[in-house]
Amino acid sequence: MGVYVNSPAACTLYRNEVSRPYFVDKTQMLQELFPLVTEGGNYICITRPRRFGKTVMANMISSFFSKGQDMGDIFGRLVISGADGFRNFLNRYFVIHICLNELPRRCGSYEQYISRIEKKLLRDLKQEFPDVPVCEDDAVWDVLTEIYTGIPDARFIFVLDEWDFIFHRDFVTDEDKKLYLAFLSSLLKDKPYVLLAYMTGILPIAKYSSGSELNMFLEYTMASEERFSTCFGFTEAETDGIYGKYLERSQHPAVTRDGLREWYNGYQTCVGERVYNPRSVTGALVNNQLGNYWTSSGPYDEIFYYVQNNIADVREDLVRMVSGEAVHAQVREYAAVSMNLKTKNEIFSAMVVYGFLSCRNGRVFIPNQELMGQFADMLQKESSLGYVYRLAKESSRMLQATLAGDTETMEKILEYVHHTEIPLLHYNSETELAGMVNLIYLAARDSYRVEREDKAGTGYVDFIFYPATDRSADCLILELKVNATPKEAIRQIKDRRYALRFAGKLGEERRYAGRVLAVGISYDRASKKHKCEVEVLLPAGKCQNYITVNAEKA
């Protein structure tokens, strides 16, 4: 056993994964690999955004097939144990598993990076096959061919995790990228010692496989291929399952199933099945709190990286997406390989590939609350976004004025917003007014879960603000009207009993202890004026009484 050849590392990591409280068994994927291993000479590449389980699955594949350790005690109790031929494949093969996202100490060049991989692999092969002559100057593929020639059953399963990692390093030149692709091609292409090459990454290889280097790979992306589509990310059923475990384990569960859907759903397979970000879901359940678990640092910096080269072209679309709309875009996955993104379509293509946006029917949108928070963070912090930044900064003042019932300040802020150049503000419909309202209450997302057109009472309310961190905070219901009065908006809130949404169900512990405020916002096209009204619909702590009185009416 070595660092790369039949390494015990993947086995240890997968054992750890299986022991976690919210482990999801996806070993059914192995059964799809059985015929590929039997045939030999197969090449597949799985591309997904970060934190969608690529490394976990790579460790699973290595620990199942590798001769390095007996993993029967683990896989014998998982789904794959029921597959035909299970024992014929378990721990029977030579596996070369390379995590391509590891760098040597103080790495400053591609040569240092690739030399480390070659040296470690040659050392492992010499240790595993001591009777085969191995020289330090030999090419890795020559040594592997020598091994296969001398030992015909010495064929290998290659597991290469994060194949595109090196493309994100500042020290890597275009010439280095060509050398790297040539290295992968020389190692894998048309080699008799390859049983299966399983490769993962974020960037699609389509741009490269149009030539000759990597065109032997069949590529499986989330957007375009059904096969393996449910193996990465959590499906609705899988999320239901681990949420049930969470309720059993937690004495005081603070995360709701709807909360998981709001915060971490929004992605889908090519056939329309919804999938969740697995890292975020498990992070929320382990910590008993919804939050940003998708990336550990720099949430707004990462998004801004993609838009900074062409802010003018994407600014209005960003506003629309933050307001909850989807915008037209020609998404091409191969466009993301360029780090010098210029056009709007290139920028949005990259953001889809990296998981910051979702794409459906020719439109892109912000997939969930977790990512919405990152976009909102960028709008409030990045001054180069111009008037969008200035408007977002007003959102804190707007929230405070609303909570204080200061309608004069609210109307002044709305007039200020209206006199900017945002194309949304034609106000031909309440939908466009809603887009502006979503922006002007951007700061509320720090402390509220904001839902648009939520089912409440006997209808659908325009906006409802659920306290996310402080259950004693005030609850807000916003109703919008064009060419009507704010009093009519508030009357609708009352008549349709929208406040029931805060009360919970009969017999359920009270969810919210603050006041419920009804907020009416109107716009008159003739006078081009906004009017606001705020009314305390329910005093603090009265939600439960309200549902008792109104349950039969609803």
Side-chain angles (χ1 to χ4, degrees):
M1 294 185 293
V3 176
Y4 296 148
V5 180
N6 293 335
S7 170
C11 300
T12 300
L13 292 172
Y14 194 66
R15 283 182 182 273
N16 293 342
E17 192 66 32
V18 172
S19 68
R20 298 185 191 281
Y22 302 118
F23 167 73
V24 173
D25 185 347
K26 288 183 176 287
T27 55
Q28 72 275 9
M29 181 187 184
L30 292 166
Q31 191 169 3
E32 292 200 54
L33 300 182
F34 290 172
L36 301 182
V37 172
T38 301
E39 294 166 5
N42 282 293
Y43 304 82
I44 63 175
C45 181
I46 306 288
T47 56
R48 291 295 188 277
R50 285 177 306 155
R51 309 304 187 186
F52 265 76
K54 298 189 299 298
T55 295
V56 171
M57 298 300 281
N59 289 334
M60 178 192 75
I61 292 167
S62 290
S63 58
F64 180 84
F65 288 110
S66 172
K67 293 182 177 184
Q69 284 190 13
D70 181 359
M71 294 290 286
D73 61 320
I74 294 294
F75 289 101
R77 53 192 171 91
L78 298 178
V79 171
I80 191 60
S81 62
D84 291 339
F86 161 68
R87 292 288 175 182
N88 296 332
F89 291 92
L90 178 63
N91 302 136
R92 297 293 181 91
Y93 299 90
F94 295 109
V95 173
I96 295 177
H97 184 152
I98 305 177
C99 297
L100 293 166
N101 59 353
E102 296 175 348
L103 293 171
R105 185 176 59 175
R106 293 190 292 273
C107 182
S109 71
Y110 169 72
E111 181 58 33
Q112 290 176 299
Y113 167 80
I114 204 66
S115 292
R116 174 180 177 271
I117 293 173
E118 291 178 305
K119 288 177 182 178
K120 287 182 178 293
L121 184 50
L122 285 171
R123 185 183 64 190
D124 285 359
L125 292 172
K126 187 173 183 178
Q127 177 180 317
E128 188 73 30
F129 304 96
D131 295 334
V132 176
V134 177
C135 299
E136 289 187 3
D137 294 335
D138 288 342
V140 171
W141 41 90
D142 289 335
V143 173
L144 286 165
T145 301
E146 189 78 24
I147 291 170
Y148 170 75
T149 302
I151 311 172
D153 65 341
R155 302 183 73 189
F156 296 83
I157 294 173
F158 287 80
V159 179
L160 306 179
D161 196 21
E162 303 292 353
W163 81 275
D164 54 338
F165 167 80
I166 197 65
F167 291 153
H168 303 280
R169 302 301 101 188
D170 292 338
F171 58 75
V172 175
T173 66
D174 288 342
E175 185 61 31
D176 291 335
K177 293 175 185 179
K178 293 178 182 178
L179 292 173
Y180 175 63
L181 295 172
F183 169 80
L184 293 178
S185 180
S186 297
L187 179 66
L188 301 172
K189 189 172 183 180
D190 298 328
K191 295 297 190 286
Y193 53 75
V194 175
L195 269 178
L196 172 69
Y198 175 89
M199 196 160 71
T200 77
I202 299 173
L203 295 179
I205 61 174
K207 182 178 178 66
Y208 304 111
S209 59
S210 60
S212 60
E213 290 93 346
L214 302 180
N215 61 0
M216 67 284 197
F217 276 95
L218 294 176
E219 188 164 22
Y220 298 91
T221 72
M222 184 161 60
S224 60
E225 298 293 337
E226 181 179 0
R227 193 178 190 188
F228 305 122
S229 61
T230 59
C231 297
F232 300 87
F234 290 166
T235 64
E236 287 280 8
E238 289 167 342
T239 306
D240 287 342
I242 61 173
Y243 185 71
K245 293 180 183 178
Y246 162 76
L247 293 178
E248 293 172 1
R249 293 172 53 86
S250 301
Q251 293 183 348
H252 304 287
V255 176
T256 66
R257 183 63 179 86
D258 286 342
L260 291 178
R261 187 174 291 108
E262 172 77 12
W263 271 76
Y264 309 122
N265 199 354
Y267 301 96
Q268 67 176 28
T269 69
C270 69
V271 294
E273 185 166 2
R274 299 299 182 114
V275 290
Y276 292 67
N277 184 315
R279 176 181 173 86
S280 297
V281 170
T282 54
L285 298 183
V286 167
N287 291 327
N288 197 29
Q289 181 178 339
L290 296 169
N292 178 20
Y293 302 101
W294 192 72
T295 182
S296 58
S297 63
Y300 113 82
D301 292 333
E302 279 196 274
I303 293 174
F304 185 66
Y305 171 83
Y306 296 100
V307 305
Q308 63 184 334
N309 290 332
N310 193 358
I311 287 175
D313 202 23
V314 302
R315 182 167 46 202
E316 277 71 41
D317 282 338
L318 289 175
V319 172
R320 286 186 169 90
M321 285 190 284
V322 169
S323 71
E325 294 185 22
V327 301
H328 287 287
Q330 294 179 349
V331 173
R332 298 289 184 270
E333 290 178 326
Y334 61 79
V337 300
S338 170
M339 292 294 102
N340 188 25
L341 305 167
K342 293 294 186 183
T343 71
K344 181 172 70 174
N345 287 327
E346 285 179 339
I347 291 168
F348 289 158
S349 293
M351 295 176 85
V352 168
V353 167
Y354 283 86
F356 291 114
L357 296 176
S358 282
C359 179
R360 188 184 307 136
N361 300 326
R363 291 174 174 266
V364 294
F365 55 93
I366 300 171
N368 52 45
Q369 184 68 27
E370 182 177 28
L371 271 299
M372 182 69 78
Q374 294 190 30
F375 278 86
D377 197 30
M378 177 183 67
L379 296 187
Q380 294 180 80
K381 292 181 178 178
E382 189 45 59
S383 60
S384 63
L385 286 164
Y387 65 80
V388 175
Y389 163 77
R390 294 192 297 273
L391 296 179
K393 296 296 285 185
E394 287 290 311
S395 62
S396 294
R397 200 160 65 97
M398 185 68 173
L399 177 60
Q400 294 307 313
T402 304
L403 295 172
D406 183 358
T407 56
E408 181 179 353
T409 297
M410 292 171 64
E411 290 168 2
K412 286 181 179 178
I413 293 173
L414 288 167
E415 291 304 313
Y416 169 71
V417 173
H418 185 60
H419 287 98
T420 63
E421 298 177 357
I422 294 182
L424 284 171
L425 305 184
H426 301 303
Y427 290 176
N428 291 322
S429 68
E430 289 175 12
T431 299
E432 291 168 338
L433 177 58
M436 182 273 293
V437 168
N438 211 336
L439 176 64
I440 207 59
Y441 280 99
L442 200 61
R445 296 182 182 277
D446 293 337
S447 51
Y448 286 89
R449 176 167 59 89
V450 181
E451 293 192 9
R452 184 171 171 181
E453 295 184 347
D454 191 24
K455 179 71 168 66
T458 60
Y460 289 86
V461 63
D462 284 334
F463 287 95
I464 192 161
F465 289 41
Y466 299 91
T469 54
D470 180 5
R471 293 306 171 104
S472 64
D474 290 337
C475 308
L476 301 177
I477 302 171
L478 270 68
E479 190 65 29
L480 313 177
K481 294 293 180 184
V482 173
N483 283 349
T485 67
K487 287 187 180 296
E488 291 178 81
I490 289 180
R491 186 180 306 118
Q492 179 174 319
I493 292 172
K494 293 178 178 178
D495 290 347
R496 298 188 180 181
R497 297 188 290 281
Y498 289 155
L500 286 171
R501 199 66 180 87
F502 296 110
K505 299 176 182 178
L506 282 171
E508 193 176 60
E509 184 180 351
R510 191 176 69 214
R511 296 182 182 181
Y512 305 102
R515 301 177 300 168
V516 176
L517 303 183
V519 181
I521 298 177
S522 69
Y523 177 74
D524 185 273
R525 289 201 192 102
S527 65
K528 300 188 183 300
K529 294 292 183 182
H530 296 85
K531 291 292 183 182
C532 302
E533 188 162 324
V534 179
E535 182 176 323
V536 178
L537 195 60
L538 293 173
K542 296 299 183 181
C543 282
Q544 204 65 30
N545 292 339
Y546 185 78
I547 191 170
T548 302
V549 173
N550 288 278
E552 293 185 2
K553 297 179 183 179

